[in-house]
Amino acid sequence: MNKNPLSIIVGVVLLAVFIVLLFVFQVRQSEVAIVTRFGAPHRAAAPGPHFRLPWPIEKVYKFDQRIQNFEDKLTEDLTADNNNLLTQVYIGWRITEPQVFFPKFANGSVTEAEKVLEGMLRSAKSAVIGKHALSDFVSAGGGSQFARIEQEMLALMQAQLRANSYGIAVEFLGLKKLGLPESVTQSVFDRMKSEREVLSSRLEAEGNAEAEKIKSRATSEAAKLLANAEREATRIRAQGEAAAAAVLPTFQQNPELANFLLRLNALEASLKERSTLIFDASTPPFDLFRGGSTNLLRK
Amino acid sequence: MGHDHDHPHEHGPGCGCGPEHGHDHGHGDMLSHRRAPVAPAPPPAPPPETPLDPGSQALATALRSSFGIVKVVMVGLVILFLCSGFFTVGPQERALVLRFGKPLGEGEKALRGPGLHFALPYPVDEVVRVPITELQRVTSTVGWFFITPEQEVAGTEPFAGPSLNPATDGYVLTADRNIIHARATLNYRIEDPVAYVFNFTAASNNVLNTLNTALVQSAAQFTVDDILTRDVFGFKDAVRRRMTELAALNRLGIVVEQLEVASRPPLFLKNDFARVTDAVQKREKVINEARTVENQVLSKAGADAAGLTNAAASESVWLVESLKAEAARFNDLLPRYRENPHLFVELRLTETMGRVMAGVQDKIFLSDSPEGNARELRLLLNREPQRPRRDGPTP
C-alpha cells in the first residue's frame, strides 16, 4: 500500500474531529444546556465548551436563557368598586434552573411553560384587580398606582412560581392595555358627549362674562382717569389763581385805575369778534354827533 | 424543536444573521462537508503490475492528472476555509466574537468596532453583529383605532360606531374615565448591545411593550382635555419619562432618542370635540374684542385726561402771565393817571372805543328823538321763520 504521509495526517485529523464532535458540545452565550444521562437530567452547562459522553449515553438539551416575552389576552375582571375592567399584561420571564425546568415541562417545552404562566397570570390579575378601585388605575395628578398594582401582580406570580418550583423567574410585568367592555364604552361615549356640550356652553358663557368684565373694568378705569385729571386740573387752576393773587397788591395802589383798565380790557375783548353794537348818542365818542362838536369848536 | 440535536454542524457559522441562532447550513459548513468525503479517499495510483497497453496507460495518466487537480482544489478549499474567518464591521454596527459560545473579552472590550477583523471559522468562533448607532423605531398602537394601511394612506377614517370593541379597537382610558385614542412612536438607540442581544429573545418586542405600558399608564394620569389640548407637551413628557424609567428598570439596554405622541378624540365624538374647540376659539375672539374696546376706551380717557390737565395748566399760566403783564402796564400807567385822572380816563376810553369800533361788524346808532324821549328799540333775535301751517283747515 502506498503510505502517503499526507493521507495519514488527513486521516488522523479527521478522526480527531470526529472524536471531538462526539465528546464535546458548546453552549452559546444566552443559552443554558441540560445534559441527560440515560434520559435522566444529570447536570447543567453554562456557556462555553463542555465535555460529554456520546449518544446514547448522554444527551444535550439547550434552552434559551434570555428573557422571553409573554403577553396574555385581554381579560375582564371586577374592580373593588364593581367596575368591569379589561386588562392585558406582558411579562418578561426566563428559565433560571434548567434542571428543574426540564423535567417539569415535556422536554422543556416553552409553549407548555407559557400555558402555565398564563394561568398564573390570570389568577394573579383577578386577585389584584379585585383589591383595587378603578380610581387606582385612572386618576389625575399621580393618583394612579400602576407601579404598586404591577408590583402586587409580580409578587403573586413570583410566590406561585416559588411554591411550585418551575425553574422559571418572572423578571418584570407591565400593564400594557386597559379597556372597558364594549357596552360600557357606549355609555362612556354618551357621558363624554354631554360633557362636551356642557363644556362648550360653559366656555361660551365664560367668554361673554370675561368680555363684559373687561369692558366694564375699562369704563370704570376711564372714569377714574378722567376724575383724577379733573382734580389735577382744578389743583393747577388753584395754583394759578394763587400765583395771580400775588400780583393783586400792585393794583391796590390805585383801585380806581385798576378797575378802569380791567373794564377797558374786558370791553375790548368782548367786542373783538363779529358783533353788533347799538348805542345812543350819549356814548362817547358818539356824543360828538349831538353837538359835542360845537363844544369842541368853541374851545 | 431543534434542541435535542447535539451535532454542532447544524449551526451555521457567524453569518451576521443577528442574535437568532441560525440553523441553516452556511457555505463554510458546506465546504467542510464536501471536503470530508474527498479527503480520505486519495485514489490509489493504478498498480502497474502488468505491461500496459496504450489505452490503460492513457487512463493512468488521466487519473494521475485529475488527482493532481483534486489536490490543488483541496488546498484551495482549506485556504478558503481559513480566510472565511475575516469579516468586516460596518460603521453603524458592532460585532461580538463568541469562542465556543462565550464572548471574547469583557464589557466594552468585547465589542469590535468598524473595520476588518478576524475570527476563527465555525465551530470555534461565531460573529454576532449588533446595529448600534442607527436609530431603531417602534410604534405603539394599543391606543389607536383599527385602521388599514390603505385607509391610512388615503387619509380616510374607518366607520365610527357608537361603541368600541376592545379586541379590535385600541384606546386609552384617561384620568377622568374618558376614552381617547393615542399613539406613540419611539426612536431609540441600542446603548448596551450585549444586554440587548443576550438578555432578550425579542428585544424590540420588549421595547414596544414597554412603550405600550408607558403610554397607557401616562394617559391614565391625565384628563382628556390635558392630553388633547391643554397640556399636550406635559403628556408627551410624561410618556417619555415613564418610558425612560421603565427601560432602565427592565434593563433593556436602550437610550430613548425621540418620542412622539399623537392623540385624538374618539371618531364617534369627533363633532362634539370640534364644537368645544370652536367654543374655545369663540371665547378667545370675544375676549380679544373686549380687550380692543378696553384699549380704545382707556387710550381715549388718557387723552382726555391729558387734555384736561394741559388746558388747566395753560389757562393758569395765561392767567398769571396776563395779570403780570397787566400789573406791569398798571405800574407804567399809574404816574400818568395821577397827573390828570379825568383826562387819562377820557383819552383811554376814546382811544379804545376807536379801536374797538373798527372791529365791530354792525354798528347801529340811535339818535335821540326830537321830543327828547328815549327811543324804543325792538330786536328780533334770529328766530326761526314760522312755517306755513300745512295741516290747517283748508279754505
Side-chain angles (χ1 to χ4, degrees):
Chain A
M1 286 296 283
N2 179 7
K3 297 277 181 191
N4 188 340
L6 183 68
S7 332
I8 293 170
I9 291 170
V10 168
V12 166
V13 164
L14 283 175
L15 192 66
V17 165
F18 185 67
I19 288 169
V20 162
L21 288 183
L22 269 182
F23 285 90
V24 171
F25 68 98
Q26 58 169 281
V27 179
R28 203 167 176 262
Q29 179 82 8
S30 82
E31 282 177 334
V32 65
I34 268 287
V35 182
T36 59
R37 182 168 290 173
F38 299 116
H42 185 257
R43 61 183 189 275
H50 295 278
F51 173 78
R52 59 172 281 203
L53 292 173
W55 185 86
I57 304 167
E58 285 191 342
K59 217 172 160 189
V60 177
Y61 294 87
K62 291 178 185 168
F63 302 101
D64 207 322
Q65 212 191 10
R66 297 176 292 180
I67 294 177
Q68 322 214 20
N69 236 326
F70 173 71
E71 45 192 78
D72 68 344
K73 294 182 195 74
L74 209 57
T75 58
E76 188 172 329
D77 295 291
L78 213 57
T79 60
D81 50 353
N82 284 328
N83 284 302
N84 283 308
L85 188 66
L86 301 175
T87 51
Q88 191 176 8
V89 166
Y90 78 95
I91 57 172
W93 65 280
R94 70 158 96 221
I95 301 165
T96 44
E97 295 164 84
Q99 305 98 301
V100 183
F101 180 84
F102 175 72
K104 207 86 182 182
F105 304 100
N107 282 349
S109 158
V110 169
T111 330
E112 290 297 316
E114 283 183 343
K115 270 185 201 150
V116 169
L117 282 172
E118 183 165 15
M120 276 183 203
L121 204 50
R122 184 82 204 79
S123 59
K125 266 165 71 174
S126 7
V128 172
I129 291 171
K131 273 196 294 183
H132 288 272
L134 184 56
S135 59
D136 288 348
F137 292 87
V138 293
S139 75
S144 58
Q145 306 173 357
F146 279 108
R148 232 184 79 194
I149 290 165
E150 286 171 353
Q151 277 309 312
E152 285 175 11
M153 287 183 187
L154 187 60
L156 267 181
M157 291 281 293
Q158 282 166 342
Q160 286 189 58
L161 284 170
R162 259 200 310 279
N164 290 304
S165 67
Y166 284 111
I168 293 176
V170 175
E171 297 287 325
F172 50 79
L173 180 150
L175 268 167
K176 63 169 268 189
K177 200 167 173 180
L178 282 183
L180 300 168
E182 188 162 359
S183 56
V184 179
T185 61
Q186 195 160 0
S187 56
V188 169
F189 277 174
D190 289 344
R191 178 171 53 75
M192 283 173 79
K193 207 180 172 85
S194 61
E195 269 177 17
R196 291 296 111 185
E197 272 156 24
V198 169
L199 190 59
S200 59
S201 61
R202 200 183 69 204
L203 281 170
E204 205 166 322
E206 257 178 24
N208 289 340
E210 178 73 17
E212 278 314 308
K213 216 162 78 187
I214 291 171
K215 281 189 211 160
S216 60
R217 200 176 54 211
T219 317
S220 83
E221 198 81 1
K224 212 155 77 186
L225 264 177
L226 282 176
N228 279 345
E230 202 83 57
R231 206 181 55 218
E232 180 68 10
T234 313
R235 192 187 60 79
I236 291 170
R237 278 204 197 88
Q239 244 175 12
E241 273 154 22
V247 185
L248 283 181
T250 314
F251 296 108
Q252 265 162 9
Q253 295 171 59
N254 193 325
E256 265 170 63
L257 174 62
N259 197 15
F260 171 69
L261 286 175
L262 285 177
R263 267 168 35 198
L264 216 55
N265 279 352
L267 177 75
E268 198 168 339
S270 70
L271 291 176
K272 215 172 244 168
E273 295 292 303
R274 297 168 43 182
S275 49
T276 303
L277 188 63
I278 301 166
F279 43 85
D280 64 8
S282 58
T283 317
F286 303 101
D287 52 350
L288 291 177
F289 293 135
R290 211 179 41 183
S293 55
T294 44
N295 293 348
L296 197 73
L297 280 175
R298 217 184 298 145
K299 241 181 191 173
Chain B
M1 301 306 296
H3 288 299
D4 48 357
H5 292 276
D6 51 357
H7 195 273
H9 269 291
E10 66 160 289
H11 294 290
C15 55
C17 43
E20 300 303 328
H21 207 128
H23 287 262
D24 53 331
H25 289 266
H27 63 275
D29 218 3
M30 294 297 283
L31 292 182
S32 60
H33 271 302
R34 200 178 302 151
R35 192 166 52 96
V38 174
E49 281 164 7
T50 48
L52 289 168
D53 58 287
S56 21
Q57 203 146 28
L59 185 65
T61 323
L63 278 176
R64 232 193 319 273
S65 62
S66 59
F67 180 52
I69 291 170
V70 167
K71 268 205 268 193
V72 169
V73 168
M74 269 173 52
V75 170
L77 287 179
V78 167
I79 291 170
L80 214 69
F81 179 65
L82 291 176
C83 286
S84 71
F86 284 103
F87 64 97
T88 54
V89 176
Q92 307 266 298
E93 55 184 17
R94 296 285 181 276
L96 282 163
V97 176
L98 303 184
R99 176 154 298 166
F100 297 116
K102 262 178 114 161
L104 276 180
E106 287 279 317
E108 278 294 307
K109 277 187 201 154
L111 295 173
R112 307 283 191 278
L116 186 68
H117 300 277
F118 182 77
L120 289 172
Y122 192 82
V124 178
D125 283 355
E126 183 190 341
V127 179
V128 177
R129 289 160 203 269
V130 192
I132 178 163
T133 41
E134 112 193 34
L135 280 185
Q136 317 271 316
R137 169 194 282 247
V138 289
T139 301
S140 158
T141 52
V142 281
W144 206 248
F145 49 87
F146 177 75
I147 185 166
T148 61
E150 294 81 41
Q151 283 171 325
E152 181 98 58
V153 169
T156 54
E157 281 167 359
F159 169 73
S163 66
L164 288 176
N165 175 4
T168 53
D169 289 301
Y171 54 83
V172 294
L173 292 180
T174 63
D176 45 0
R177 299 185 190 186
N178 283 343
I179 287 171
I180 62 161
H181 298 297
R183 175 160 69 176
T185 304
L186 169 72
N187 288 324
Y188 66 96
R189 259 188 318 105
I190 298 167
E191 185 188 42
D192 183 353
V194 181
Y196 191 83
V197 173
F198 290 120
N199 285 1
F200 299 97
T201 49
S204 68
N205 246 344
N206 251 312
V207 174
L208 177 59
N209 268 333
T210 311
L211 181 62
N212 288 337
T213 304
L215 181 68
V216 166
Q217 299 188 356
S218 303
Q221 299 179 19
F222 280 75
T223 64
V224 60
D225 292 302
D226 283 345
I227 294 175
L228 291 176
T229 49
R230 277 202 297 257
D231 197 9
V232 175
F233 288 102
F235 176 55
K236 192 178 122 179
D237 202 47
V239 177
R240 192 196 160 98
R241 247 185 299 125
R242 185 81 182 130
M243 180 69 209
T244 314
E245 197 182 297
L246 285 174
L249 200 69
N250 298 349
R251 287 192 283 275
L252 298 181
I254 62 161
V255 189
V256 174
E257 281 289 319
Q258 195 195 13
L259 198 150
E260 287 306 326
V261 177
S263 44
R264 54 170 301 164
L267 297 172
F268 183 64
L269 299 177
K270 204 169 131 190
N271 293 336
D272 301 274
F273 275 83
R275 263 202 291 283
V276 173
T277 316
D278 277 355
V280 169
Q281 273 162 6
K282 220 148 78 187
R283 177 169 170 265
E284 291 304 306
K285 194 171 151 238
V286 168
I287 290 176
N288 281 341
E289 278 168 3
R291 293 247 156 80
T292 314
V293 171
E294 181 190 30
N295 283 341
Q296 282 168 352
V297 167
L298 285 184
S299 55
K300 186 173 179 301
D304 286 354
L308 275 176
T309 49
N310 287 344
S314 57
E315 258 173 51
S316 76
V317 167
W318 179 83
L319 178 69
V320 172
E321 288 309 314
S322 62
L323 265 178
K324 273 187 189 157
E326 213 49 54
R329 182 154 159 256
F330 178 85
N331 279 336
D332 284 349
L333 294 178
L334 190 59
R336 280 159 64 194
Y337 174 77
R338 283 199 173 130
E339 275 169 27
N340 186 342
H342 186 70
L343 182 63
F344 181 85
V345 167
E346 283 286 309
L347 275 176
R348 280 276 142 211
L349 187 60
T350 313
E351 182 216 336
T352 306
M353 282 303 271
R355 201 154 10 99
V356 165
M357 280 305 142
V360 172
Q361 207 172 25
D362 303 308
K363 302 176 223 5
I364 299 165
F365 174 73
L366 294 177
S367 62
D368 292 339
S369 63
E371 299 91 47
N373 296 336
R375 282 180 194 259
E376 193 175 293
L377 182 72
R378 296 196 179 176
L379 290 178
L380 186 65
L381 289 172
N382 244 4
R383 183 168 301 161
E384 203 146 310
Q386 217 166 15
R387 280 195 185 166
R389 286 177 63 139
R390 283 191 139 190
D391 49 355
T394 42

